[in-house]
Amino acid sequence: MVRLSVISKTIKRPWRVLLVILTFALGMSGTLKARDLSHEEALRLRQTGTILPFEQILARALKAYPGAQLLESELEREDGLYVYELEILTPAGVVHEIEINASNGQFIEDEIED
């Protein structure tokens, strides 16, 4: 990383402030990958047809794991994509964390939770 003290000698004060803000923002961009959506946002996206109804997404997950139970669910915007994250418990006692594309219902990821 470039030391701001070296740069600040040649840059006037307003530009230094902007440089600090940009440096902070760019440094944080890698940590802000996903954003949880509110119920209001989810309803609007469903009404406009942007995302599939949760019932359809859950049915796809339960078809892959018959007899499983839903433990938790979230709708997020992740890297420009709407994603349902489901945590399910199979009859064998295994917990799966599943990510499903909310727009088309395709499985993105399926991991066994430790």
Side-chain angles (χ1 to χ4, degrees):
M1 179 185 264
V2 177
R3 295 182 75 76
L4 293 178
S5 60
V6 174
I7 294 173
S8 66
K9 292 179 183 177
T10 59
I11 300 176
K12 297 188 187 272
R13 181 155 174 62
W15 291 108
R16 279 189 284 178
V17 172
L18 181 59
L19 182 62
V20 169
I21 292 169
L22 286 173
T23 301
F24 179 74
L26 292 174
M28 291 296 292
S29 65
T31 61
L32 300 176
K33 286 187 175 184
R35 177 179 73 85
D36 289 343
L37 300 176
S38 69
H39 296 290
E40 292 82 15
E41 288 176 291
L43 180 60
R44 181 184 54 78
L45 292 168
R46 181 178 171 175
Q47 289 172 339
T48 60
T50 304
I51 64 171
L52 296 172
F54 176 74
E55 297 81 9
Q56 286 182 19
I57 299 297
L58 180 59
R60 289 176 191 224
L62 296 179
K63 185 177 180 183
Y65 296 99
Q69 295 179 333
L70 179 66
L71 299 176
E72 188 178 329
S73 67
E74 292 180 349
L75 176 61
E76 294 183 341
R77 180 142 176 111
E78 188 173 302
D79 297 326
L81 188 67
Y82 293 107
V83 176
Y84 280 108
E85 290 186 359
L86 307 178
E87 192 172 284
I88 61 169
L89 175 65
T90 67
V94 178
V95 176
H96 285 261
E97 233 176 74
I98 302 170
E99 290 186 3
I100 299 177
N101 183 321
S103 299
N104 62 22
Q106 291 182 332
F107 279 69
I108 298 170
E109 193 172 288
D110 184 350
E111 292 183 345
I112 295 175
E113 193 173 274
D114 296 330

